[in-house]
Amino acid sequence: MARSATPAFPPARLISSTQELEAALAPFHNESFVTVDTEFMREQTYWPELCLVQIGATHDIVLIDALAEGIDLTPLKNLFADTAVLKVFHAARQDLEIFLHLFGALPTPLFDTQVAAMVAGFGDQVGYDSLVGSLTGHMIDKSHRFTDWSVRPLSPAQLTYAAGDVTWLRLVYERLVKKLEQEQRLDWVAAEMAELEDPATFRPDPEKQWERLRARTNNRRMLAVLRAIAALREREAQRVNVPRQRLVKDESLLEIAATTPSTPEALTRVRGVSRGLAEGRTGHALLQAIKQAQALPDSELPRSPRGKSKDTPRPSASLVALLKVLLTSCCEKHDVAPRLVASADDLDALALDPSQPHAVLAGWRRKVFGETAQALCEGKIALCVKSGRVVAIPQNMDVPSA
């Protein structure tokens, strides 16, 4: 795409007091949409440390110093709660997690240009700089991407970089919406926003953290211990606000689950567990969690999310492979990112039983892929190559028995 002329963006203002913030954001309530981005640090904490919030409107850009002494961000909370103003983000998940933790509520309504770009055919999880380049021809300055945003004062170059994140986002949003309107896909995007508007999306369930650890065992008793200590680590990491891996590493949790130490001394023999942790509050809590998990009745023991017993039904590998080919073909035809349409788990479930109410058989996914995929699973269509593309054709031939 040819590079477009740089628009005349308004100068950005750095806001460092509550009074300034209230006055600056008051006119933003009259906007149809505002663009939002954040700069934060997370290396040393469990919860992201908000450093800067960038808000872009038609004729104003404000950069809110979230670390300014005494600043009250309630005016920002009020803007986020104004349902008459759409909040536009790119790759919003981490930003939304921050605001949910800070304000106890998510900005509403909202629009994620990364999700919209996937619907509009720009690929899986397209980056902001790539999307800006595709839609405007402008090359984004990446020089301050990994800067330490907690250090004060912020330099003029940092402020210019931060302002650019919400200025170009306005153009990206407007051009994406125009494209989606022309293709009659805005309702597809609206359906995808439902997950981002649900607070549960950003509140990790401690009881499910063990599933992330990919334990290579089907020993249900060991998995029960792993579930208990992973949940304990998650709650402790939240309580003391340190990264979960800094509190206890994944590898240490797996070893604890395998060896089930019963004393602080035994706990210190686990690689990565210090004597201070083993003998302190966290260590005692870990030992108690192990003891409780070992006492669970067999009926309450978890099963491996990956391990399959010999009696567990498995989808046909060849059918799943065909569904993957069909997914790619359908997404090429409709110019939409495959990742947004169906996951590997979706394909497995569909291959096992296409008659069940799967996610791919509802809403816009049914039109793009689900209906054709169901027909393939039921033997009603076949795949062939025509003019260099995979296409589905009606199956009129008798299928030979296996």
Side-chain angles (χ1 to χ4, degrees):
M1 180 174 181
R3 184 183 177 98
S4 58
T6 301
F9 291 131
R13 295 185 290 154
L14 181 63
I15 304 296
S16 55
S17 73
T18 306
Q19 185 177 5
E20 288 178 319
L21 181 60
E22 189 169 11
L25 292 187
F28 283 42
H29 288 269
N30 299 319
E31 296 281 331
S32 60
F33 75 93
V34 295
T35 50
V36 187
D37 192 31
T38 66
E39 307 297 345
F40 59 89
M41 304 294 292
R42 195 171 196 167
E43 288 77 7
Q44 308 297 323
T45 59
Y46 180 94
W47 304 108
E49 180 185 19
L50 183 61
C51 300
L52 193 71
V53 183
Q54 304 98 283
I55 310 285
T58 306
H59 301 296
D60 200 4
I61 300 165
V62 297
L63 309 178
I64 306 166
D65 185 355
L67 299 181
E69 185 176 356
I71 193 167
D72 180 354
L73 297 179
T74 297
L76 179 61
K77 177 182 179 181
N78 293 339
L79 177 63
F80 284 166
D82 188 343
T83 57
V85 183
L86 181 68
K87 293 81 184 177
V88 178
F89 296 80
H90 181 84
R93 286 179 177 269
Q94 291 196 80
D95 299 323
L96 296 177
E97 180 190 5
I98 291 171
F99 293 129
L100 179 61
H101 179 64
L102 189 65
F103 298 140
L106 292 168
T108 184
L110 60 89
F111 186 99
D112 189 330
T113 56
Q114 186 178 70
V115 174
M118 292 169 74
V119 172
F122 286 91
D124 288 341
Q125 295 186 311
V126 61
Y128 177 65
D129 49 349
S130 296
L131 191 57
V132 170
S134 296
L135 289 171
T136 73
H138 178 77
M139 300 301 294
I140 293 292
D141 174 17
K142 304 178 185 179
S143 58
H144 293 281
R145 176 165 293 180
F146 301 109
T147 193
D148 186 344
W149 291 96
S150 66
V151 175
R152 295 296 183 271
L154 294 170
S155 70
Q158 284 178 300
L159 297 177
T160 299
Y161 170 89
D165 284 342
V166 290
T167 50
W168 289 101
L169 188 54
R170 293 189 65 83
L171 286 181
V172 165
Y173 167 72
E174 290 170 344
R175 294 181 184 184
L176 265 180
V177 167
K178 183 177 180 180
K179 186 176 191 298
L180 291 166
E181 283 177 337
Q182 291 172 343
E183 297 171 353
Q184 298 183 330
R185 295 189 181 185
L186 273 178
D187 57 332
W188 296 15
V189 178
E192 298 310 300
M193 289 301 106
E195 182 181 359
L196 294 179
E197 292 170 344
D198 182 0
T201 301
F202 308 95
R203 290 179 173 144
D205 183 353
E207 298 299 326
K208 293 184 178 180
Q209 290 303 303
W210 68 280
E211 297 175 359
R212 300 173 48 253
L213 301 179
R214 302 174 181 269
R216 297 180 179 179
T217 181
N218 288 326
N219 184 321
R220 296 177 64 196
R221 185 66 59 181
M222 176 181 167
L223 293 176
V225 174
L226 183 62
R227 178 177 64 183
I229 60 178
L232 185 280
R233 179 185 68 168
E234 193 71 13
R235 294 189 181 99
E236 280 292 287
Q238 292 176 359
R239 182 183 67 82
V240 299
N241 195 25
V242 298
R244 61 175 72 93
Q245 290 275 26
R246 177 164 297 186
L247 189 66
V248 183
K249 291 187 179 298
D250 288 350
E251 295 81 0
S252 300
L253 281 186
L254 290 166
E255 186 176 345
I256 292 170
T259 59
T260 59
S262 58
T263 66
E265 183 62 32
L267 190 55
T268 62
R269 291 196 285 272
V270 174
R271 177 185 289 186
V273 176
S274 67
R275 181 168 295 277
L277 184 142
E279 296 178 349
R281 169 175 172 162
T282 300
H284 286 290
L286 283 170
L287 295 174
Q288 185 64 25
I290 294 169
K291 183 177 179 180
Q292 291 173 350
Q294 289 179 313
L296 288 174
D298 289 350
S299 60
E300 296 182 19
L301 300 180
R303 295 186 183 276
S304 172
R306 301 182 185 279
K308 302 288 185 181
S309 73
K310 62 181 181 180
D311 298 324
T312 301
R314 302 167 186 260
S316 163
S318 57
L319 177 54
V320 171
L322 282 178
L323 285 171
K324 290 179 181 177
V325 172
L326 179 62
L327 175 63
T328 302
S329 173
C330 290
C331 290
E332 284 179 348
K333 176 182 177 182
H334 291 276
D335 196 21
V336 62
R339 181 170 181 161
L340 194 65
V341 178
S343 67
D345 288 343
D346 291 330
L347 299 184
D348 285 350
L350 187 64
L352 274 174
D353 188 352
S355 66
Q356 293 299 309
H358 304 292
V360 296
L361 299 177
W364 63 270
R365 288 178 175 82
R366 180 178 183 86
K367 174 184 176 182
V368 170
F369 170 69
E371 199 169 62
T372 309
Q374 189 176 43
L376 178 67
C377 292
E378 294 173 348
K380 296 177 181 178
I381 62 170
L383 301 183
C384 72
V385 177
K386 185 176 182 180
S387 301
R389 289 182 174 272
V390 174
V391 295
I393 60 173
Q395 175 61 276
N396 298 319
M397 299 167 51
D398 290 333
V399 179
S401 58

